[in-house]
Amino acid sequence: MERTQFPSLKGRTVVVTGGASGIGEALVRAFAGNGSNVAFLDLQEDAGNKLAAELSAGGANAKFLQCDLTDIEAVRAAMADVKAHFGPVGALVNNAANDKRANFLDVSVEEFDWMMAVNLRHVFFAAQAVVPQMRELGYGSIINMTSGAWVRGIREMQAYSTAKAAIVGFTNSLARQVGEFRIRVNALAPGMVITPRQRELWYQDESKIADGLKLQCIPEEIKVEDVANACLFLAADDSRMITKQMLLINGGLI
Ligand SMILES: NC(=O)c1ccc[n+]([C@@H]2O[C@H](COP(=O)([O-])OP(=O)(O)OC[C@H]3O[C@@H](n4cnc5c(N)ncnc54)[C@H](O)[C@@H]3O)[C@@H](O)[C@H]2O)c1
């Protein structure tokens, strides 16, 4: 897939959470391909180091930071590290998540809290850590990954949907707070994107994918690059007057 080049992203410090695999990996590749200084945080040490090494060997400025995003002190330390290495963060993509399904009646308080920690809490605190850096720059773009799942209403995804809907509320409130500093905050809501993990966990049966495609206006698979292209646009100055929006990338599903 051809990728548009956004001149404003060249040399910009960009942070992607959950960047070692799946959609996040595509985001990291897309920003590296646009000449950004891209830092990415993830639990997966081997995959993260491998991706950073590959991109660096290709001449990109990529830095991997191993980090468990459920640990907010570690998130804060990572954002300070990124600033020390690349300079203030101009774009943050809060991408990491875990779409674990569960029977509603079986969800324990501990499991609910963990779902909030892995899907919601770090989004709030990563943004809190970078807003002062963006104020130093005089601009910034925060892109929060939500999901079409909470809009549509999907069984066994109550905790995930709670977090993903809250991310949109957070997006709207923060956009209002920081707009005067030329910091924009938007949400991206992918539809069904069949990453290797999605295929392994939830879509082993090809007919489930075919059924999903039939619900879309455009019955084609949504690629990780489709999400990355929208994210590049929202991070770049080309979208400078777009804030407090949720953009669905779902082939017209909902
Ligand atoms: N794939 C889809 O169909 C789909 C649909 C709607 C929304 N989304 C959203 O898009 C984003 C990316 O989805 P994906 O399918 O690529 O997910 P994924 O599970 O394949 O990747 C998530 C990444 O986050 C990392 N991660 C998870 N927990 C972490 C933690 N505690 N600390 C650090 N890193 C952690 C994982 O290691 C992984 O690299 C998520 O926010 C997801 O909710 C995906």
Side-chain angles (χ1 to χ4, degrees):
M1 186 182 283
E2 282 289 312
R3 176 167 297 134
T4 310
Q5 292 292 314
F6 292 94
S8 63
L9 294 178
K10 196 168 161 45
R12 188 161 292 185
T13 303
V14 178
V15 174
V16 178
T17 68
S21 68
I23 292 171
E25 176 184 345
L27 300 176
V28 170
R29 289 182 184 280
F31 283 109
N34 266 262
S36 305
N37 297 326
V38 58
F40 60 107
L41 282 51
D42 207 293
L43 270 179
Q44 297 183 61
E45 194 162 14
D46 289 349
N49 282 327
K50 196 166 159 237
L51 179 59
E54 181 204 318
L55 293 172
S56 301
N61 289 324
K63 181 177 169 63
F64 169 61
L65 296 96
Q66 205 268 343
C67 177
D68 181 349
L69 292 154
T70 63
D71 176 352
I72 299 305
E73 283 313 315
V75 172
R76 289 178 170 147
M79 295 305 172
D81 260 21
V82 173
K83 185 183 178 195
H85 191 78
F86 282 141
V89 174
L92 165 69
V93 189
N94 277 314
N95 166 76
N98 190 312
D99 65 345
K100 193 163 178 256
R101 273 79 159 158
N103 184 325
F104 173 60
L105 296 181
D106 293 340
V107 176
S108 65
V109 172
E110 291 72 23
E111 194 175 347
F112 179 86
D113 285 348
W114 181 79
M115 284 296 279
M116 296 306 119
V118 81
N119 286 306
L120 175 62
R121 198 172 61 179
H122 60 86
V123 172
F124 186 103
F125 288 102
Q128 190 187 63
V130 300
V131 161
Q133 299 191 27
M134 291 176 171
R135 285 198 63 180
E136 267 181 53
L137 290 171
Y139 63 83
S141 176
I142 297 172
I143 297 146
N144 296 324
M145 209 61 83
T146 176
S147 170
W150 75 265
V151 186
R152 195 164 160 236
I154 296 185
R155 287 169 191 268
E156 300 192 329
M157 297 193 89
Q158 287 79 25
Y160 176 78
S161 299
T162 300
K164 289 296 184 182
I167 283 173
V168 180
F170 169 61
T171 298
N172 290 356
S173 174
L174 186 62
R176 184 70 68 192
Q177 186 87 33
V178 296
E180 65 182 296
F181 309 118
R182 294 176 63 232
I183 301 171
R184 301 179 294 110
V185 193
N186 290 290
L188 267 186
M192 180 178 72
V193 185
I194 310 298
T195 60
R197 183 174 175 276
Q198 291 290 316
R199 185 173 293 275
E200 188 190 319
L201 289 178
W202 323 116
Y203 290 98
Q204 284 165 342
D205 180 356
E206 281 291 327
S207 70
K208 268 184 88 175
I209 299 176
D211 289 346
L213 295 182
K214 279 186 211 144
L215 299 173
Q216 298 176 186
C217 299
I218 304 166
E220 287 176 26
E221 277 194 32
I222 303 159
K223 306 283 184 206
V224 289
E225 290 81 5
D226 294 311
V227 182
N229 283 338
C231 194
L232 289 173
F233 172 65
L234 288 178
D237 294 347
D238 302 64
S239 58
R240 70 177 199 97
M241 291 306 289
I242 300 177
T243 194
K244 200 168 74 65
Q245 300 302 308
M246 181 180 87
L247 180 61
L248 284 151
I249 308 168
N250 65 358
L253 176 78
I254 303 163

